Amino acid sequence: MSQRQVLQVFEQYQKARTQFVQMVAELATRPQNIETLQNAGVMALLRPLLLDVVPTIQQTAALALGRLANYNDDLAEAVVKGDILPQLVYSLAEQNRFYKKAAAFVLRAVGKHSPQLAQAIVDCGALDTLVICLEDFDPGVKEAAAWALGYIARHNAELSQAVVDAGAVPLLVLCIQEPEIALKRIAVSALSDIAKHSPELAQTVVDAGVIAHLAQMILNPDAKLKRQVLSALSQIAKHSVDLAEMVVEAEIFPVVLTCLKDKDEYVKKNASTLIREIAKHTPELSQLIVNAGGVAAVIDCIGSCKGNIRLPGIMLLGYVAAHSENLAMAVIISKGVPQLSLCLSEEPEDHIKAAAAWALGHIGRHTPEHARAVAVTNTLPVLLSLYMSTESSEDLQVKVLPHDSKARRLFVTSGGLKKVQEIKAEPGSLLQEYINSINNCYPEEIVRYYSPGYSETLLQRVDSYQPLTN
């Protein structure tokens, strides 16, 4: 056999390996092929190809593994059990940028499924290597590393702390200052995933100077980046008064209010969430939002969208109104009650109706004037029908007529109890049962007082009353 024929054998073998990994990577993009590939033992066949002498074969093998591990935790588990992670981590430090991106993709695909799988990545020493990749000259490598770190951090505080301890935060803050939009998005998302778990982790992110950079990006034209920026600020502001005040001090008002008019529904939702997370802490922060025109802007936003996009805005109105009489009046003056009443009647989802009922309760509970503002929008018949609906969840029924004295008083002063007594229900019917359960919340003489014909009964007693004469 000539030398040329010998070399041809190797060339054919290389071609076959190349063809194999390319085909597997391609097949792994379609869900219907995954089970067949798994049953054919594809993981064990890909593993040696990660150390192939040909770089493109290594990269494509890593890409195929990432796509498989991305599908479900069984395949991700197979990567861990197959002892593939140490190999990937080693190559992540040594190889070219194409391989680094593919290896970081595998780590992300494994780590996303559960805290246990993310912990397996931490245990094999991947964090230090991923953090080094955040300093790579190639933005694609930085992005892949930031993505993997974010997916590990999002599970819980312990994993987030491990990411922080590896030194990721300052480098992620540098990444959000890079020109590439995709890199900015992923780095902001990773910082958000770190900050969300605890005040201490949020403080670590804040100490790295992230708030000023995020505040500057609120008006970036890229909707996906705006979503992430608003979400990250929310995850910081939610933890404490101090952190919320730091977000406010970055002069996000009134700029953030423009996001409530954005074309992108999730930009609207995340902007409402951010304002809610600030308002909930103190009356002072709520007042600041009112003064900036935030309550009126959120009410307009609730009117311009549907479903879950409305939810944070609805809750914001409840939080603001709960703080004080004056703040509740600010919600009333901004026409918040008719908007909440609309949500109550037109939203199909119970949890959104419950939030609207909860917010209306906080608006109306302060004084008779507040209660009247709720009553005049004809909200009470809607609340009553929800309370009596067999389709309403228990949570919604509880929020509609909570068993506390202020709510009971509001139900009386705003005419709700009187309306209930006017309902003609068949004795023994389900409707009568509901009426009885409402009446049982009140003393008997109050129920009698609001029953139809009671004033006539009283007048008859006056007519027939014989005063004692001396």
Side-chain angles (χ1 to χ4, degrees):
M1 192 183 267
S2 69
Q3 191 181 358
R4 174 158 174 70
Q5 286 171 314
V6 171
L7 288 171
Q8 269 178 335
V9 171
F10 281 93
E11 279 167 20
Q12 282 168 343
Y13 178 47
Q14 183 174 318
K15 240 184 233 163
R17 295 198 315 279
T18 305
Q19 210 173 357
F20 173 75
V21 286
Q22 283 173 346
M23 278 307 295
V24 170
E26 176 59 31
L27 290 166
T29 58
R30 288 188 285 279
Q32 64 268 31
N33 300 328
I34 300 298
E35 204 178 332
T36 315
L37 287 167
Q38 195 174 358
N39 295 340
V42 73
M43 296 307 228
L45 296 169
L46 286 170
R47 189 186 166 210
L49 297 175
L50 288 170
L51 296 174
D52 201 277
V53 291
V54 181
T56 53
I57 293 175
Q58 289 181 4
Q59 290 150 28
T60 317
L63 181 66
L65 271 173
R67 284 176 179 170
L68 290 161
N70 207 29
Y71 271 99
N72 60 42
D73 38 9
D74 283 350
L75 284 160
E77 194 80 53
V79 172
V80 175
K81 288 196 175 130
D83 224 17
I84 289 167
L85 292 177
Q87 235 164 281
L88 284 168
V89 173
Y90 169 77
S91 305
L92 199 57
E94 302 295 318
Q95 296 287 352
N96 66 26
R97 64 200 168 106
F98 300 108
Y99 188 91
K100 283 178 180 174
K101 279 189 269 195
F105 170 54
V106 182
L107 294 174
R108 174 184 117 209
V110 171
K112 78 170 194 179
H113 293 289
S114 71
Q116 293 74 22
L117 287 164
Q119 189 61 54
I121 292 171
V122 174
D123 294 341
C124 73
L127 294 184
D128 291 340
T129 320
L130 285 168
V131 168
I132 291 166
C133 288
L134 289 176
E135 296 185 275
D136 199 277
F137 73 94
D138 182 88
V141 173
K142 286 180 179 160
E143 188 189 325
W147 214 331
L149 289 164
Y151 270 49
I152 293 164
R154 69 171 48 173
H155 291 293
N156 58 42
E158 291 72 30
L159 286 161
S160 271
Q161 192 60 55
V163 170
V164 168
D165 294 344
V169 172
L171 295 171
L172 286 168
V173 174
L174 286 174
C175 287
I176 68 176
Q177 297 166 66
E178 294 283 345
E180 292 80 13
I181 289 288
L183 177 55
K184 280 182 191 286
R185 280 186 209 145
I186 304 304
V188 171
S189 173
L191 288 163
S192 179
D193 283 330
I194 293 167
K196 73 181 181 183
H197 299 290
S198 72
E200 294 74 24
L201 284 162
Q203 192 64 57
T204 305
V205 171
V206 170
D207 291 344
V210 76
I211 292 178
H213 295 297
L214 292 174
Q216 284 165 6
M217 289 192 279
I218 287 173
L219 290 182
N220 191 291
D222 183 77
K224 285 182 182 165
L225 177 59
K226 264 191 291 203
R227 288 181 198 174
Q228 299 294 357
V229 165
L230 294 163
S231 171
L233 287 168
S234 305
Q235 299 292 12
I236 292 166
K238 74 179 185 183
H239 292 292
S240 70
V241 178
D242 287 350
L243 287 165
E245 283 175 349
M246 288 176 88
V247 170
V248 170
E249 280 160 17
E251 297 180 358
I252 63 162
F253 290 104
V255 180
V256 75
L257 303 182
T258 59
C259 296
L260 295 168
K261 294 188 174 78
D262 203 272
K263 297 194 298 290
D264 185 278
E265 295 283 82
Y266 288 96
V267 169
K268 285 183 183 179
K269 185 184 181 187
N270 292 3
S272 300
T273 304
L274 170 57
I275 301 166
R276 179 193 75 193
E277 296 298 5
I278 294 166
K280 72 180 185 186
H281 291 293
T282 64
E284 291 73 24
L285 284 167
S286 278
Q287 190 62 58
L288 184 143
I289 289 162
V290 170
N291 296 350
V295 166
V298 166
I299 291 165
D300 288 346
C301 178
I302 294 170
S304 73
C305 51
K306 294 272 179 286
N308 273 326
I309 308 294
R310 280 175 157 175
L311 192 57
I314 292 170
M315 291 178 73
L316 163 83
L317 298 181
Y319 279 129
V320 171
H323 284 306
S324 73
E325 279 181 31
N326 289 347
L327 285 164
M329 194 47 78
V331 175
I332 292 168
I333 291 164
S334 300
K335 302 194 168 47
V337 175
Q339 195 58 69
L340 287 168
S341 186
L342 210 58
C343 295
L344 203 58
S345 52
E346 70 180 24
E347 279 296 337
E349 299 274 349
D350 262 9
H351 67 284
I352 300 173
K353 287 183 192 289
W358 170 82
L360 285 163
H362 280 306
I363 294 165
R365 71 184 173 85
H366 295 284
T367 68
E369 194 184 348
H370 289 77
R372 251 193 314 281
V374 173
V376 295
T377 56
N378 213 24
T379 300
L380 290 161
V382 180
L383 285 169
L384 191 60
S385 66
L386 291 173
Y387 185 77
M388 293 175 170
S389 168
T390 49
E391 289 168 16
S392 291
S393 65
E394 202 172 303
D395 178 55
L396 175 50
Q397 288 174 336
V398 168
K399 284 201 170 61
V400 167
L401 192 65
H403 299 302
D404 70 65
S405 57
K406 281 185 175 169
R408 288 200 295 272
R409 186 186 171 88
L410 166 62
F411 200 63
V412 173
T413 55
S414 54
L417 189 63
K418 184 170 184 289
K419 278 233 176 356
V420 171
Q421 307 319 313
E422 289 165 6
I423 296 168
K424 292 180 173 59
E426 292 285 320
S429 67
L430 196 58
L431 182 56
Q432 187 61 56
E433 270 180 53
Y434 284 129
I435 293 170
N436 293 345
S437 67
I438 292 171
N439 288 347
N440 289 340
C441 297
Y442 296 94
E444 203 179 320
E445 61 272 24
I446 298 289
V447 175
R448 259 206 320 275
Y449 179 78
Y450 286 103
S451 298
Y454 184 66
S455 54
E456 270 72 42
T457 310
L458 282 180
L459 287 170
Q460 280 167 15
R461 283 177 62 187
V462 169
D463 292 342
S464 59
Y465 182 66
Q466 299 293 323
L468 292 171
T469 50
N470 289 332

